[in-house]
Amino acid sequence: MSENPLDRPTTDHLDPQVFVDYLEKTRWFGGKGRPFEVTAVHRIGQVPGCVDAGPAVVDHLVELTYGDAEGGTETYQVPLAFYVEAESRLDHAFVGWWEEPDRGWVHAYDALHDREAMACWLRSFVAAADDAVSGPTGLTFHRLPGHELDPDVTASLFSGEQSNSSVKFGEDSIMKLFRKVTPGANPDVTVHRALTGAGSTDVAALYGWMSWTDEQGEEYHLAMLQQFLRTATDGWDLALTSVRDLFAEGDLHAHEVGGDFAGESERLGLTLRVVHELLREHFPAERRGPEATRALAGAMRARLDAALEVVPELAQHADALRAAYDRVAALDGVDVQQVHGDLHLGQTLRTAKGWKIVDFEGEPAKPLHERVEPDSPWRDVAGMLRSFDYAPRVVEKQSVDLAEDDAEAAAQLAYRAEEWAHRNRNHFLTAYADGEPSDEAKVLLAAYVADKAVYETVYETRNRPGWVSIPLEAVARIGAA
Ligand SMILES: Nc1ncnc2c1ncn2[C@@H]1O[C@H](COP(=O)(O)OP(=O)(O)O)[C@@H](O)[C@H]1O
Ligand SMILES: O=P(O)(O)O[C@H]1O[C@H](CO)[C@@H](O[C@H]2O[C@H](CO)[C@@H](O)[C@H](O)[C@H]2O)[C@H](O)[C@H]1O
């Protein structure tokens, strides 16, 4: 170990500015475009599997403070691979360089892009076979029994994900490294652990996770290792393909085209029902009284008030939205339990063995303490119903752009988009509820759909302004109903 350039803390020599420039370049940094400064950089530990072989890999937590009116601080995880010589193959992942007193300049790269660094990371999970393994400065690797890991497979970074970074190890496992982190158990780990323990086949099995405990004794879940679903196709991509198939057939209805999605929607509804049942068994679940329904309606109203500041077009529909929330406040109770919290088609994977649900982290915009609160399962159902609405509208948007002078063709596409959405929402909901939902469920579902559409107007305004008309039109339909 004495040969390793990272034996002594490097914090004093690290220029925080390098993180500002790097964060702005990444896909996963949530504060892009906002003014911020790096207020602290914590060197939290060396990955143990890299101590004797491979580059030195040192995990860092980067604390930043926003300088706009919204303000606030956030912490991002940036593991770094250190090389004394520049590694040109990693140019795209170069974070910065700084001077080591005894070694001269050390080059730092985002370790997730470096297959050598990731090989060390995998070795750390392999070494944790019998018990949790701690690195020299506090990273702890945990493994669940029942699955052998092969330490010799090649690591490759996934390119599609948004809020975190995932690395695939051969065709066997996938590690998700959480980028924005907060103290406390991450529901992605706890939910996958419980469902894996219960033998669920509706999620990817959890193989292990990595944690770190700070000086105040607060534990952070920083990464999670799980079964790689080799035959998986993203549910969102499949839905878009089905819509395109319908749009390509001028004279056929949704149930007549080869790409009809209704069977898949139905199976998804059944899958969610089973997952919710298991979550009810393995996490606290209870019936809460009228004070809970009033609090729920209050949270929805507060979200709308905040959204009105960002999306003023919502104002004309605010009364109708508030009326939907008032109906929730008037309910005499609500059943709550652990839920997914941010369910949409992009969180579902169709494999050869059926649908799997992924990413139990909850809604990214909410603080952790809110994301782990029990909630009504109708929130998840509403998320899926919104997604069945989104898929045809996205394809419609692309197609209308192509035929923008042809009003008749545009009206026909809008009709067919609604046909697809209606058919798939119904099949999903009927399968989930095993028939008609109760009157209470209908009130909750309508309010959660409205609340999600409001959330989406803000999400799209900030991330994909070209798509904001999709949730705005949904809000308008709620207003007109
Ligand atoms: N176990 C898995 N096997 C194969 N692919 C997966 C697995 N888990 C996630 N993915 C893929 O990675 C993408 C991102 O995963 P997700 O958990 O949603 O990450 P993020 O939190 O970054 O959004 C998913 O949409 C899916 O395509
Ligand atoms: O997957 P994330 O946890 O990052 O979820 C966020 O991003 C989603 C977009 O990828 C967003 O979902 C919205 O767009 C989807 C299509 O891209 C659509 O299917 C969803 O219905 C719609 O809400 C999600 O809301 C946001 O939290």
Side-chain angles (χ1 to χ4, degrees), residues 47 57-60 77-81 95 109-112 118 121 177 179:
V47 175
V57 180
V58 181
D59 208 354
H60 290 78
Q77 183 181 190
V78 190
L80 296 176
V95 177
Y109 300 93
D110 185 330
L112 275 286
M118 287 299 106
W121 211 295
L177 180 117
R179 288 296 191 169

Side-chain angles (χ1 to χ4, degrees), residues 28 158-166 168 172-179 188 192 203-205 224-237 340 342 344-349 351 356-362 364:
W28 42 261
F158 246 56
S159 55
E161 79 281 359
Q162 298 179 327
S163 23
N164 297 296
S165 295
S166 297
K168 176 167 100 73
D172 181 54
S173 63
I174 178 168
M175 180 182 79
K176 172 149 99 174
L177 180 117
F178 303 117
R179 288 296 191 169
D188 220 3
H192 274 108
V203 296
M224 139 179 130
L225 185 75
Q226 57 182 160
Q227 172 191 19
F228 178 68
L229 301 167
R230 265 178 301 135
T231 61
T233 309
D234 192 284
W236 171 249
D237 293 336
H340 182 285
D342 186 30
H344 55 87
L345 280 161
Q347 311 281 34
T348 67
L349 293 173
T351 71
K356 313 278 171 183
I357 296 179
V358 300
D359 197 1
F360 285 80
E361 259 197 295

Side-chain angles (χ1 to χ4, degrees), residues 286-354:
E286 60 177 335
R287 172 105 186 139
R288 289 186 177 164
E291 66 295 341
T293 60
R294 286 196 292 272
L296 179 55
M300 290 173 171
R301 275 190 221 109
R303 166 121 86 181
L304 173 60
D305 291 342
L308 283 163
E309 301 285 317
V310 184
V311 193
E313 297 93 316
L314 285 171
Q316 53 189 312
H317 309 295
D319 288 347
L321 293 165
R322 290 196 184 104
Y325 307 155
D326 288 347
R327 286 191 277 278
V328 169
L331 291 174
D332 63 7
V334 56
D335 295 308
V336 295
Q337 62 164 96
Q338 175 73 51
V339 298
H340 182 285
D342 186 30
L343 194 56
H344 55 87
L345 280 161
Q347 311 281 34
T348 67
L349 293 173
R350 177 70 162 93
T351 71
K353 292 185 176 167

Side-chain angles (χ1 to χ4, degrees), residues 77-310:
Q77 183 181 190
V78 190
L80 296 176
F82 288 100
Y83 286 91
V84 175
E85 299 297 330
E87 294 284 322
S88 55
R89 71 196 162 90
L90 292 173
D91 275 353
H92 62 287
F94 181 63
V95 177
W97 36 262
W98 47 89
E99 199 167 13
E100 286 274 300
D102 304 335
R103 300 200 166 249
W105 296 109
V106 175
H107 298 76
Y109 300 93
D110 185 330
L112 275 286
H113 293 255
D114 180 13
R115 64 175 50 152
E116 302 295 326
M118 287 299 106
C120 310
W121 211 295
L122 179 59
R123 279 199 292 277
S124 304
F125 276 115
V126 173
D130 300 323
D131 202 354
V133 167
S134 293
T137 46
L139 299 177
T140 307
F141 287 76
H142 310 256
R143 272 276 295 290
L144 290 175
H147 180 79
E148 280 298 308
L149 290 172
D150 178 353
D152 297 321
V153 291
T154 307
S156 48
L157 181 66
F158 246 56
S159 55
E161 79 281 359
Q162 298 179 327
S163 23
N164 297 296
S165 295
S166 297
V167 171
K168 176 167 100 73
F169 294 112
E171 296 278 277
D172 181 54
S173 63
I174 178 168
M175 180 182 79
K176 172 149 99 174
L177 180 117
F178 303 117
R179 288 296 191 169
K180 194 166 110 184
V181 298
T182 39
N186 187 315
D188 220 3
V189 174
T190 50
V191 167
H192 274 108
R193 191 176 180 189
L195 294 179
T196 301
S200 171
T201 53
D202 301 315
V203 296
L206 183 71
Y207 292 162
W209 68 97
M210 185 189 89
S211 66
W212 172 71
T213 304
D214 70 11
E215 282 163 3
Q216 286 73 45
E218 295 259 35
E219 193 188 30
Y220 289 63
H221 283 161
L222 296 178
M224 139 179 130
L225 185 75
Q226 57 182 160
Q227 172 191 19
F228 178 68
L229 301 167
R230 265 178 301 135
T231 61
T233 309
D234 192 284
W236 171 249
D237 293 336
L238 279 180
L240 293 186
T241 306
S242 161
V243 178
R244 289 193 185 109
D245 199 41
L246 172 65
F247 283 12
E249 291 285 354
D251 300 324
L252 295 180
H253 288 287
H255 66 278
E256 296 167 327
V257 290
D260 181 23
F261 202 68
E264 296 296 357
S265 303
E266 207 169 299
R267 283 186 283 276
L268 252 178
L270 291 173
T271 301
L272 183 61
R273 190 166 84 196
V274 172
V275 167
H276 276 164
E277 277 165 13
L278 277 176
L279 291 175
R280 251 194 313 278
E281 280 169 31
H282 292 273
F283 290 90
E286 60 177 335
R287 172 105 186 139
R288 289 186 177 164
E291 66 295 341
T293 60
R294 286 196 292 272
L296 179 55
M300 290 173 171
R301 275 190 221 109
R303 166 121 86 181
L304 173 60
D305 291 342
L308 283 163
E309 301 285 317
V310 184

